[in-house]
mmCIF file of all heavy atoms in Angstrom:
data_model
loop_
_atom_site.group_PDB
_atom_site.id
_atom_site.type_symbol
_atom_site.label_atom_id
_atom_site.label_comp_id
_atom_site.label_asym_id
_atom_site.label_seq_id
_atom_site.Cartn_x
_atom_site.Cartn_y
_atom_site.Cartn_z
ATOM 1 N N ALA A 1 15.042 1.997 -9.505
ATOM 2 C CA ALA A 1 15.618 2.352 -10.797
ATOM 3 C C ALA A 1 16.993 1.714 -10.916
ATOM 4 O O ALA A 1 17.877 1.973 -10.087
ATOM 5 C CB ALA A 1 15.713 3.864 -10.922
ATOM 6 N N ALA A 2 17.174 0.885 -11.930
ATOM 7 C CA ALA A 2 18.415 0.138 -12.109
ATOM 8 C C ALA A 2 19.206 0.702 -13.289
ATOM 9 O O ALA A 2 18.633 1.004 -14.337
ATOM 10 C CB ALA A 2 18.108 -1.332 -12.345
ATOM 11 N N SER A 3 20.505 0.828 -13.120
ATOM 12 C CA SER A 3 21.355 1.352 -14.197
ATOM 13 C C SER A 3 22.743 0.734 -14.118
ATOM 14 O O SER A 3 23.088 0.067 -13.144
ATOM 15 C CB SER A 3 21.453 2.880 -14.089
ATOM 16 O OG SER A 3 22.035 3.261 -12.862
ATOM 17 N N GLY A 4 23.534 0.951 -15.151
ATOM 18 C CA GLY A 4 24.915 0.509 -15.137
ATOM 19 C C GLY A 4 25.217 -0.710 -15.978
ATOM 20 O O GLY A 4 26.385 -1.022 -16.210
ATOM 21 N N ARG A 5 24.197 -1.413 -16.412
ATOM 22 C CA ARG A 5 24.390 -2.577 -17.268
ATOM 23 C C ARG A 5 23.020 -3.002 -17.799
ATOM 24 O O ARG A 5 22.004 -2.462 -17.397
ATOM 25 C CB ARG A 5 25.040 -3.735 -16.517
ATOM 26 C CG ARG A 5 24.225 -4.281 -15.360
ATOM 27 C CD ARG A 5 24.674 -5.680 -14.990
ATOM 28 N NE ARG A 5 24.442 -6.611 -16.080
ATOM 29 C CZ ARG A 5 25.393 -7.381 -16.590
ATOM 30 N NH1 ARG A 5 26.638 -7.332 -16.108
ATOM 31 N NH2 ARG A 5 25.120 -8.208 -17.577
ATOM 32 N N THR A 6 23.016 -3.971 -18.689
ATOM 33 C CA THR A 6 21.740 -4.576 -19.076
ATOM 34 C C THR A 6 21.420 -5.688 -18.081
ATOM 35 O O THR A 6 22.320 -6.382 -17.598
ATOM 36 C CB THR A 6 21.813 -5.162 -20.496
ATOM 37 O OG1 THR A 6 22.908 -6.095 -20.552
ATOM 38 C CG2 THR A 6 22.049 -4.066 -21.522
ATOM 39 N N PHE A 7 20.162 -5.825 -17.766
ATOM 40 C CA PHE A 7 19.767 -6.747 -16.701
ATOM 41 C C PHE A 7 19.022 -7.977 -17.220
ATOM 42 O O PHE A 7 18.389 -8.691 -16.435
ATOM 43 C CB PHE A 7 18.900 -5.993 -15.687
ATOM 44 C CG PHE A 7 19.672 -4.982 -14.898
ATOM 45 C CD1 PHE A 7 19.766 -3.665 -15.323
ATOM 46 C CD2 PHE A 7 20.327 -5.340 -13.732
ATOM 47 C CE1 PHE A 7 20.487 -2.731 -14.614
ATOM 48 C CE2 PHE A 7 21.050 -4.412 -13.010
ATOM 49 C CZ PHE A 7 21.134 -3.102 -13.452
ATOM 50 N N ASP A 8 19.127 -8.247 -18.504
ATOM 51 C CA ASP A 8 18.367 -9.350 -19.094
ATOM 52 C C ASP A 8 18.618 -10.675 -18.397
ATOM 53 O O ASP A 8 17.719 -11.509 -18.304
ATOM 54 C CB ASP A 8 18.719 -9.505 -20.575
ATOM 55 C CG ASP A 8 18.224 -8.336 -21.399
ATOM 56 O OD1 ASP A 8 17.602 -7.432 -20.810
ATOM 57 O OD2 ASP A 8 18.467 -8.322 -22.609
ATOM 58 N N THR A 9 19.827 -10.896 -17.915
ATOM 59 C CA THR A 9 20.178 -12.177 -17.291
ATOM 60 C C THR A 9 20.180 -12.086 -15.767
ATOM 61 O O THR A 9 20.700 -12.966 -15.093
ATOM 62 C CB THR A 9 21.565 -12.628 -17.769
ATOM 63 O OG1 THR A 9 22.523 -11.616 -17.444
ATOM 64 C CG2 THR A 9 21.569 -12.905 -19.264
ATOM 65 N N TYR A 10 19.573 -11.050 -15.234
ATOM 66 C CA TYR A 10 19.604 -10.811 -13.798
ATOM 67 C C TYR A 10 18.251 -11.073 -13.141
ATOM 68 O O TYR A 10 17.197 -11.035 -13.787
ATOM 69 C CB TYR A 10 20.031 -9.365 -13.526
ATOM 70 C CG TYR A 10 21.528 -9.214 -13.419
ATOM 71 C CD1 TYR A 10 22.351 -9.567 -14.487
ATOM 72 C CD2 TYR A 10 22.125 -8.730 -12.259
ATOM 73 C CE1 TYR A 10 23.728 -9.441 -14.386
ATOM 74 C CE2 TYR A 10 23.501 -8.603 -12.151
ATOM 75 C CZ TYR A 10 24.291 -8.964 -13.223
ATOM 76 O OH TYR A 10 25.647 -8.851 -13.117
ATOM 77 N N THR A 11 18.314 -11.327 -11.855
ATOM 78 C CA THR A 11 17.142 -11.386 -10.989
ATOM 79 C C THR A 11 17.175 -10.162 -10.085
ATOM 80 O O THR A 11 18.233 -9.834 -9.527
ATOM 81 C CB THR A 11 17.150 -12.662 -10.139
ATOM 82 O OG1 THR A 11 17.018 -13.797 -11.002
ATOM 83 C CG2 THR A 11 16.017 -12.662 -9.124
ATOM 84 N N LEU A 12 16.047 -9.505 -9.968
ATOM 85 C CA LEU A 12 15.932 -8.365 -9.060
ATOM 86 C C LEU A 12 14.981 -8.711 -7.932
ATOM 87 O O LEU A 12 13.917 -9.296 -8.170
ATOM 88 C CB LEU A 12 15.468 -7.114 -9.795
ATOM 89 C CG LEU A 12 16.619 -6.347 -10.454
ATOM 90 C CD1 LEU A 12 17.043 -6.981 -11.758
ATOM 91 C CD2 LEU A 12 16.277 -4.894 -10.644
ATOM 92 N N GLY A 13 15.388 -8.370 -6.735
ATOM 93 C CA GLY A 13 14.604 -8.729 -5.574
ATOM 94 C C GLY A 13 14.364 -7.559 -4.645
ATOM 95 O O GLY A 13 15.058 -6.533 -4.708
ATOM 96 N N TRP A 14 13.373 -7.706 -3.801
ATOM 97 C CA TRP A 14 13.102 -6.777 -2.711
ATOM 98 C C TRP A 14 13.282 -7.512 -1.391
ATOM 99 O O TRP A 14 12.773 -8.627 -1.215
ATOM 100 C CB TRP A 14 11.670 -6.237 -2.795
ATOM 101 C CG TRP A 14 11.443 -5.259 -3.889
ATOM 102 C CD1 TRP A 14 10.924 -5.498 -5.129
ATOM 103 C CD2 TRP A 14 11.707 -3.852 -3.844
ATOM 104 N NE1 TRP A 14 10.863 -4.350 -5.850
ATOM 105 C CE2 TRP A 14 11.331 -3.307 -5.082
ATOM 106 C CE3 TRP A 14 12.224 -2.990 -2.876
ATOM 107 C CZ2 TRP A 14 11.456 -1.956 -5.380
ATOM 108 C CZ3 TRP A 14 12.353 -1.649 -3.170
ATOM 109 C CH2 TRP A 14 11.973 -1.134 -4.412
ATOM 110 N N PHE A 15 13.995 -6.877 -0.489
ATOM 111 C CA PHE A 15 14.194 -7.367 0.863
ATOM 112 C C PHE A 15 13.811 -6.262 1.825
ATOM 113 O O PHE A 15 13.714 -5.100 1.441
ATOM 114 C CB PHE A 15 15.659 -7.773 1.087
ATOM 115 C CG PHE A 15 16.078 -9.004 0.334
ATOM 116 C CD1 PHE A 15 16.366 -8.941 -1.020
ATOM 117 C CD2 PHE A 15 16.185 -10.228 0.982
ATOM 118 C CE1 PHE A 15 16.747 -10.080 -1.713
ATOM 119 C CE2 PHE A 15 16.574 -11.371 0.291
ATOM 120 C CZ PHE A 15 16.853 -11.294 -1.061
ATOM 121 N N ARG A 16 13.600 -6.624 3.088
ATOM 122 C CA ARG A 16 13.305 -5.615 4.091
ATOM 123 C C ARG A 16 14.004 -5.970 5.390
ATOM 124 O O ARG A 16 14.291 -7.144 5.657
ATOM 125 C CB ARG A 16 11.803 -5.475 4.310
ATOM 126 C CG ARG A 16 11.121 -6.700 4.903
ATOM 127 C CD ARG A 16 9.616 -6.504 4.904
ATOM 128 N NE ARG A 16 8.916 -7.641 5.493
ATOM 129 C CZ ARG A 16 7.597 -7.784 5.502
ATOM 130 N NH1 ARG A 16 6.817 -6.854 4.934
ATOM 131 N NH2 ARG A 16 7.035 -8.832 6.063
ATOM 132 N N GLN A 17 14.252 -4.935 6.165
ATOM 133 C CA GLN A 17 14.905 -5.130 7.455
ATOM 134 C C GLN A 17 14.304 -4.194 8.479
ATOM 135 O O GLN A 17 14.360 -2.963 8.328
ATOM 136 C CB GLN A 17 16.415 -4.904 7.346
ATOM 137 C CG GLN A 17 17.188 -5.313 8.580
ATOM 138 C CD GLN A 17 18.681 -5.425 8.315
ATOM 139 O OE1 GLN A 17 19.207 -4.900 7.339
ATOM 140 N NE2 GLN A 17 19.374 -6.140 9.182
ATOM 141 N N ALA A 18 13.737 -4.792 9.506
ATOM 142 C CA ALA A 18 13.187 -4.029 10.624
ATOM 143 C C ALA A 18 14.271 -3.887 11.696
ATOM 144 O O ALA A 18 15.198 -4.705 11.744
ATOM 145 C CB ALA A 18 11.962 -4.740 11.182
ATOM 146 N N PRO A 19 14.159 -2.878 12.563
ATOM 147 C CA PRO A 19 15.174 -2.675 13.607
ATOM 148 C C PRO A 19 15.356 -3.933 14.461
ATOM 149 O O PRO A 19 14.377 -4.520 14.920
ATOM 150 C CB PRO A 19 14.608 -1.525 14.433
ATOM 151 C CG PRO A 19 13.730 -0.783 13.483
ATOM 152 C CD PRO A 19 13.136 -1.818 12.587
ATOM 153 N N GLY A 20 16.599 -4.347 14.619
ATOM 154 C CA GLY A 20 16.907 -5.490 15.464
ATOM 155 C C GLY A 20 16.613 -6.837 14.837
ATOM 156 O O GLY A 20 16.753 -7.873 15.500
ATOM 157 N N LYS A 21 16.230 -6.841 13.569
ATOM 158 C CA LYS A 21 15.899 -8.103 12.912
ATOM 159 C C LYS A 21 16.791 -8.320 11.691
ATOM 160 O O LYS A 21 17.398 -7.388 11.180
ATOM 161 C CB LYS A 21 14.426 -8.113 12.488
ATOM 162 C CG LYS A 21 13.464 -8.094 13.650
ATOM 163 C CD LYS A 21 12.044 -8.342 13.196
ATOM 164 C CE LYS A 21 11.084 -8.423 14.370
ATOM 165 N NZ LYS A 21 9.694 -8.694 13.947
ATOM 166 N N GLU A 22 16.842 -9.562 11.248
ATOM 167 C CA GLU A 22 17.633 -9.888 10.070
ATOM 168 C C GLU A 22 16.921 -9.407 8.799
ATOM 169 O O GLU A 22 15.701 -9.229 8.785
ATOM 170 C CB GLU A 22 17.857 -11.401 9.994
ATOM 171 C CG GLU A 22 18.800 -11.928 11.046
ATOM 172 C CD GLU A 22 19.222 -13.361 10.771
ATOM 173 O OE1 GLU A 22 18.806 -13.924 9.750
ATOM 174 O OE2 GLU A 22 19.973 -13.908 11.586
ATOM 175 N N ARG A 23 17.741 -9.215 7.757
ATOM 176 C CA ARG A 23 17.165 -8.854 6.472
ATOM 177 C C ARG A 23 16.308 -10.019 5.965
ATOM 178 O O ARG A 23 16.727 -11.180 6.013
ATOM 179 C CB ARG A 23 18.273 -8.516 5.481
ATOM 180 C CG ARG A 23 17.785 -7.791 4.244
ATOM 181 C CD ARG A 23 18.910 -7.101 3.542
ATOM 182 N NE ARG A 23 19.492 -6.019 4.337
ATOM 183 C CZ ARG A 23 20.326 -5.110 3.858
ATOM 184 N NH1 ARG A 23 20.697 -5.159 2.583
ATOM 185 N NH2 ARG A 23 20.795 -4.165 4.651
ATOM 186 N N GLN A 24 15.148 -9.686 5.454
ATOM 187 C CA GLN A 24 14.128 -10.678 5.125
ATOM 188 C C GLN A 24 13.724 -10.550 3.663
ATOM 189 O O GLN A 24 13.510 -9.433 3.165
ATOM 190 C CB GLN A 24 12.909 -10.441 6.035
ATOM 191 C CG GLN A 24 11.722 -11.331 5.828
ATOM 192 C CD GLN A 24 10.552 -10.884 6.696
ATOM 193 O OE1 GLN A 24 10.214 -9.700 6.752
ATOM 194 N NE2 GLN A 24 9.924 -11.828 7.351
ATOM 195 N N PHE A 25 13.597 -11.677 2.986
ATOM 196 C CA PHE A 25 13.153 -11.697 1.602
ATOM 197 C C PHE A 25 11.699 -11.260 1.512
ATOM 198 O O PHE A 25 10.863 -11.643 2.339
ATOM 199 C CB PHE A 25 13.314 -13.098 1.028
ATOM 200 C CG PHE A 25 12.673 -13.285 -0.321
ATOM 201 C CD1 PHE A 25 13.300 -12.802 -1.461
ATOM 202 C CD2 PHE A 25 11.470 -13.947 -0.453
ATOM 203 C CE1 PHE A 25 12.723 -12.970 -2.708
ATOM 204 C CE2 PHE A 25 10.884 -14.123 -1.695
ATOM 205 C CZ PHE A 25 11.506 -13.636 -2.817
ATOM 206 N N VAL A 26 11.378 -10.482 0.472
ATOM 207 C CA VAL A 26 10.001 -10.046 0.245
ATOM 208 C C VAL A 26 9.490 -10.593 -1.085
ATOM 209 O O VAL A 26 8.476 -11.280 -1.134
ATOM 210 C CB VAL A 26 9.900 -8.509 0.254
ATOM 211 C CG1 VAL A 26 8.482 -8.064 -0.086
ATOM 212 C CG2 VAL A 26 10.332 -7.947 1.598
ATOM 213 N N ALA A 27 10.186 -10.270 -2.169
ATOM 214 C CA ALA A 27 9.737 -10.671 -3.500
ATOM 215 C C ALA A 27 10.898 -10.583 -4.475
ATOM 216 O O ALA A 27 11.871 -9.872 -4.230
ATOM 217 C CB ALA A 27 8.588 -9.789 -3.976
ATOM 218 N N ALA A 28 10.787 -11.306 -5.589
ATOM 219 C CA ALA A 28 11.828 -11.244 -6.614
ATOM 220 C C ALA A 28 11.249 -11.654 -7.952
ATOM 221 O O ALA A 28 10.215 -12.326 -8.022
ATOM 222 C CB ALA A 28 13.010 -12.154 -6.260
ATOM 223 N N MET A 29 11.948 -11.224 -9.007
ATOM 224 C CA MET A 29 11.555 -11.651 -10.346
ATOM 225 C C MET A 29 12.760 -11.598 -11.255
ATOM 226 O O MET A 29 13.688 -10.814 -11.026
ATOM 227 C CB MET A 29 10.439 -10.765 -10.895
ATOM 228 C CG MET A 29 10.819 -9.363 -11.266
ATOM 229 S SD MET A 29 9.402 -8.385 -11.843
ATOM 230 C CE MET A 29 8.727 -9.440 -13.124
ATOM 231 N N ARG A 30 12.763 -12.446 -12.254
ATOM 232 C CA ARG A 30 13.796 -12.399 -13.267
ATOM 233 C C ARG A 30 13.474 -11.270 -14.231
ATOM 234 O O ARG A 30 12.317 -11.027 -14.536
ATOM 235 C CB ARG A 30 13.888 -13.725 -14.008
ATOM 236 C CG ARG A 30 14.315 -14.852 -13.124
ATOM 237 C CD ARG A 30 14.719 -16.086 -13.897
ATOM 238 N NE ARG A 30 15.170 -17.108 -12.961
ATOM 239 C CZ ARG A 30 14.650 -18.316 -12.884
ATOM 240 N NH1 ARG A 30 13.684 -18.671 -13.708
ATOM 241 N NH2 ARG A 30 15.103 -19.176 -12.001
ATOM 242 N N TRP A 31 14.515 -10.560 -14.677
ATOM 243 C CA TRP A 31 14.295 -9.442 -15.573
ATOM 244 C C TRP A 31 13.667 -9.918 -16.880
ATOM 245 O O TRP A 31 12.831 -9.221 -17.461
ATOM 246 C CB TRP A 31 15.617 -8.733 -15.854
ATOM 247 C CG TRP A 31 15.381 -7.393 -16.460
ATOM 248 C CD1 TRP A 31 15.380 -7.068 -17.783
ATOM 249 C CD2 TRP A 31 15.076 -6.198 -15.748
ATOM 250 N NE1 TRP A 31 15.094 -5.745 -17.936
ATOM 251 C CE2 TRP A 31 14.901 -5.178 -16.707
ATOM 252 C CE3 TRP A 31 14.936 -5.889 -14.392
ATOM 253 C CZ2 TRP A 31 14.598 -3.875 -16.352
ATOM 254 C CZ3 TRP A 31 14.632 -4.594 -14.046
ATOM 255 C CH2 TRP A 31 14.463 -3.601 -15.023
ATOM 256 N N SER A 32 14.051 -11.102 -17.325
ATOM 257 C CA SER A 32 13.453 -11.692 -18.514
ATOM 258 C C SER A 32 12.532 -12.815 -18.082
ATOM 259 O O SER A 32 12.891 -13.623 -17.249
ATOM 260 C CB SER A 32 14.532 -12.258 -19.441
ATOM 261 O OG SER A 32 15.378 -11.232 -19.882
ATOM 262 N N GLY A 33 11.357 -12.856 -18.647
ATOM 263 C CA GLY A 33 10.424 -13.900 -18.274
ATOM 264 C C GLY A 33 9.417 -13.418 -17.251
ATOM 265 O O GLY A 33 9.429 -12.255 -16.827
ATOM 266 N N SER A 34 8.574 -14.334 -16.817
ATOM 267 C CA SER A 34 7.455 -13.960 -15.956
ATOM 268 C C SER A 34 7.519 -14.579 -14.563
ATOM 269 O O SER A 34 6.599 -14.405 -13.770
ATOM 270 C CB SER A 34 6.147 -14.373 -16.622
ATOM 271 O OG SER A 34 6.152 -15.773 -16.866
ATOM 272 N N ASN A 35 8.619 -15.271 -14.242
ATOM 273 C CA ASN A 35 8.692 -15.908 -12.916
ATOM 274 C C ASN A 35 8.740 -14.855 -11.818
ATOM 275 O O ASN A 35 9.543 -13.922 -11.868
ATOM 276 C CB ASN A 35 9.958 -16.762 -12.825
ATOM 277 C CG ASN A 35 9.885 -17.981 -13.715
ATOM 278 O OD1 ASN A 35 9.265 -17.922 -14.770
ATOM 279 N ND2 ASN A 35 10.493 -19.060 -13.304
ATOM 280 N N THR A 36 7.877 -15.015 -10.835
ATOM 281 C CA THR A 36 7.897 -14.159 -9.653
ATOM 282 C C THR A 36 7.917 -15.031 -8.406
ATOM 283 O O THR A 36 7.431 -16.165 -8.416
ATOM 284 C CB THR A 36 6.682 -13.224 -9.607
ATOM 285 O OG1 THR A 36 5.489 -14.012 -9.660
ATOM 286 C CG2 THR A 36 6.688 -12.247 -10.767
ATOM 287 N N TYR A 37 8.466 -14.477 -7.342
ATOM 288 C CA TYR A 37 8.613 -15.200 -6.086
ATOM 289 C C TYR A 37 8.214 -14.264 -4.948
ATOM 290 O O TYR A 37 8.561 -13.079 -4.982
ATOM 291 C CB TYR A 37 10.066 -15.652 -5.893
ATOM 292 C CG TYR A 37 10.635 -16.378 -7.094
ATOM 293 C CD1 TYR A 37 11.231 -15.674 -8.128
ATOM 294 C CD2 TYR A 37 10.554 -17.766 -7.192
ATOM 295 C CE1 TYR A 37 11.740 -16.325 -9.242
ATOM 296 C CE2 TYR A 37 11.069 -18.428 -8.301
ATOM 297 C CZ TYR A 37 11.649 -17.702 -9.321
ATOM 298 O OH TYR A 37 12.148 -18.350 -10.423
ATOM 299 N N TYR A 38 7.513 -14.815 -3.949
ATOM 300 C CA TYR A 38 7.045 -14.004 -2.836
ATOM 301 C C TYR A 38 7.256 -14.729 -1.515
ATOM 302 O O TYR A 38 7.136 -15.953 -1.436
ATOM 303 C CB TYR A 38 5.550 -13.698 -2.976
ATOM 304 C CG TYR A 38 5.212 -12.830 -4.160
ATOM 305 C CD1 TYR A 38 4.794 -13.383 -5.358
ATOM 306 C CD2 TYR A 38 5.312 -11.437 -4.073
ATOM 307 C CE1 TYR A 38 4.487 -12.599 -6.450
ATOM 308 C CE2 TYR A 38 5.002 -10.635 -5.162
ATOM 309 C CZ TYR A 38 4.595 -11.225 -6.345
ATOM 310 O OH TYR A 38 4.294 -10.436 -7.428
#
């Protein structure tokens, strides 16, 4: 749940971090448009 501003010009992403490992990219998408990344 995102709040505090409008996100039309933003990209939102998901990352994950397992114990002892670096934070890792999972997925992302631009708030406007249909581009997705995995």
Side-chain angles (χ1 to χ4, degrees):
S3 61
R5 63 160 296 126
T6 56
F7 291 92
D8 292 359
T9 58
Y10 271 59
T11 295
L12 275 79
W14 287 97
F15 290 78
R16 65 187 181 187
Q17 190 165 18
K21 294 190 176 181
E22 289 192 2
R23 195 161 295 193
Q24 178 186 47
F25 170 78
V26 176
M29 71 182 307
R30 296 193 178 123
W31 195 264
S32 298
S34 58
N35 291 32
T36 56
Y37 310 87
Y38 294 96

